[in-house]
Amino acid sequence: MFDLPIEGAELLAVEFGDIVNYFSVYTAVLFVFALLFTVLAIISRPEKPVDIVFGGDAYYAKKIPPEQLRFQRFMAIACGLATLGAMISGDLFNFTLFSSMIGITNIGIVAAVKNKHVLEAAYQYGIVAMVATVPLFGGAAIALATTGTLSIWELAGAGAVPLLAKMLLVVGVMGEGMAPFYIGKAEITRAPGAPYVLMIHVSSLLLFLRVVEIALTV
Amino acid sequence: MIEYLIFAVFVGLLLHGIHRKAIARIQGRPGPPIWQEILHVLKFSFKETWIPATASQTLFVAVVIIAIGVWSTALFVLLTGGSLLLLFAVYMLHKIVEHGLGLSSGSPYGKFGAIRSVMSAASEIPLFATIAAIYLITGSLMISDIQAWQAAHGPLLFTALPAAIALYIVVLAKMHYSPFAVIESKEIVSGNVTEHFGVWRAGLEAAFGLKTFVLLYAFIVLFLGPMPLLLAAVAMVLLLLSLSFICALSPMLSPFDTVTIQIGTAGLIVVYVLLMGVIV
Amino acid sequence: MTMKKQTAGAVTVAAAMVCVAASAGWRLGLIETWIAIVLNVVAFPFFLVALGLWWNAAEKEEGDTPFIGY
């Protein structure tokens, strides 16, 4: 199917009925990147954050309870798996499901952190992500209603999906963690556990890159 | 193939040197010799190196390797005429490198750099508007097709000027000393690269050299079309000098101002793309 | 944590060999372009970092602490 001059050659396709999960050069690169950071979240130990006391030379090291970091790691790995799924999914609905799962796990990664700023940011981000699922699933629903299928494989290059559905999909994914809604997430970065917090950014950037591909393909 | 990589690293570092020299001359200083950045990398690589005790060790090192790998990929995508979308995916992945650099060290300055890098994620939005504009005009996102289109119809610079301006701002945001370079601004020491010293910094500088080369060359290829190597080199230096002028004459913006300007640009480009989509 | 000079040297040489072999194979038409690219992209970062670690690694295990003043 991939004769489209958008994302490079098709490498591999795995068929499940009319749902075809596929790797193109583009999604394969994204997949490898997601895999790389999931592995990093699994194998690397978290950093030991240091804070400075403003107005002096003093600094102090923060103590982070290991149980908290273990939970963060679990959530980061779950987030990584959701990202991997979103990268190879050949189905609009599966893609939206993976997107909302990324939104949930992103909150999970920082939910255990006992820091007012982090929790507040996570709460706000959670609301935005929740609201964003409406356009996200709405986009997929409109695509289904107008074309009768959700398979990206079958929709590719047909131009059958209305512009509105594509825009809703993109808006939905932006709500899951791209600029300008990203700003709410900036404070989340205060949370300790670099390899896990990093997964938040990896997942939302990759998700956005994938939805751009989908919007151009279908 | 490896020769392309090494060539691009050295040329990129040389471009950094020219950038510094130009900024210095505009500001009335003598400035360092243009090969200074190459010497810098060599100097850093000879320094004693270890991993800070507070750092997340694996991530701390992995990010440096990923930075080099990511921009090597970008170079090859550009050289083989691959997908423009992939090239800019790589550009976005650089954002992850920036986060990772800052977060992995455990240093508060690195962390501030990383938070600022999260906020300046707005700079990626003009990029996709640019891609959309190019796709609407040329009907393809393969760089080889875009070059073929330009060979037939003339440079995209004139056909899609707003898209070119958007990409110009994106490239500007990634230059050293740029008004948008808040992540490495001096009030947070060196921002996200504060804790990466010695060999790690040498590796990063090499990656950044590669990045400058790729971004400038991508601009030339996308908006001026195919041209002989020597002419492309001249065009790259001219483009760089124009960027140096902006960097030399404008102050570092505050993080929120950078976001405002970038979102504003993005908004204009989106309007332009929508208008074009309706008219064409 | 520092890497032994020998290890760093070995990584440098191995990565350099992969890069050169992939590039040469591509030039001679033995290796497909994308394989050569993947090999180069993977090996080049390791080459660069290991090279730096190799030439700054101390020959001795623990050097003499220099006089740093009273």
Side-chain angles (χ1 to χ4, degrees), chain B:
Chain B
M1 209 158 252
I2 181 74
E3 64 272 17
Y4 295 134
L5 271 176
I6 292 172
F7 171 80
V9 168
F10 275 96
V11 172
L13 290 170
L14 200 62
L15 288 170
H16 278 178
I18 296 172
H19 184 55
R20 277 188 72 177
K21 185 79 174 175
I23 290 180
R25 297 316 293 259
I26 293 162
Q27 293 173 343
R29 296 181 280 118
I34 57 169
W35 50 82
Q36 185 61 36
E37 295 292 320
I38 297 172
L39 299 183
H40 250 37
V41 169
L42 288 175
K43 179 196 79 176
F44 277 129
S45 75
F46 282 115
K47 294 278 181 189
E48 192 184 355
T49 304
W50 66 93
I51 302 171
T54 56
S56 164
Q57 297 195 346
T58 317
L59 191 63
F60 187 86
V61 178
V63 165
V64 177
I65 289 170
I66 291 172
I68 305 171
V70 153
W71 287 105
S72 312
T73 314
L75 180 72
F76 286 127
V77 171
L78 195 57
L79 291 182
T80 55
S83 166
L84 179 62
L85 203 55
L86 186 53
L87 181 66
F88 286 131
V90 167
Y91 177 91
M92 298 269 283
L93 299 183
H94 178 71
K95 205 87 218 170
I96 308 286
V97 171
E98 286 178 356
H99 296 319
L101 284 173
L103 292 177
S104 65
S105 64
S107 151
Y109 303 112
K111 196 151 225 179
F112 288 140
I115 294 179
R116 287 187 176 191
S117 143
V118 176
M119 293 203 301
S120 55
S123 68
E124 271 77 54
I125 303 292
L127 204 55
F128 284 97
T130 309
I131 291 181
I134 290 178
Y135 185 58
L136 279 176
I137 293 174
T138 64
S140 170
L141 278 180
M142 306 308 282
I143 293 169
S144 45
D145 291 349
I146 295 171
Q147 283 190 302
W149 190 92
Q150 292 189 98
H153 301 82
L156 265 174
L157 182 65
F158 306 117
T159 326
L161 187 62
I165 293 172
L167 187 62
Y168 188 80
I169 288 181
V170 167
V171 176
L172 176 64
K174 282 280 169 279
M175 296 300 294
H176 282 306
Y177 315 105
S178 118
F180 299 112
V182 284
I183 58 164
E184 51 184 27
S185 152
K186 284 299 160 199
E187 76 266 15
I188 47 174
V189 192
S190 286
N192 54 356
V193 291
T194 303
E195 298 288 328
H196 282 76
F197 58 95
V199 174
W200 318 129
R201 180 65 79 88
L204 282 178
E205 289 296 331
F208 292 164
L210 208 51
K211 175 188 75 179
T212 304
F213 179 85
V214 168
L215 287 180
L216 292 179
Y217 191 51
F219 189 93
I220 304 291
V221 165
L222 289 180
F223 288 108
L224 293 178
M227 54 174 75
L229 191 64
L230 204 61
L231 200 59
V234 173
M236 274 166 80
V237 171
L238 286 178
L239 182 63
L240 180 77
L241 287 177
S242 74
L243 290 165
S244 307
F245 261 92
I246 297 176
C247 294
L249 297 175
S250 60
M252 181 82 74
L253 296 170
S254 82
F256 289 103
D257 288 340
T258 66
V259 173
T260 313
I261 291 179
Q262 284 161 350
I263 294 268
T265 319
L268 289 177
I269 302 293
V270 167
V271 170
Y272 164 72
V273 169
L274 286 179
L275 280 178
M276 199 165 61
V278 171
I279 295 167
V280 177

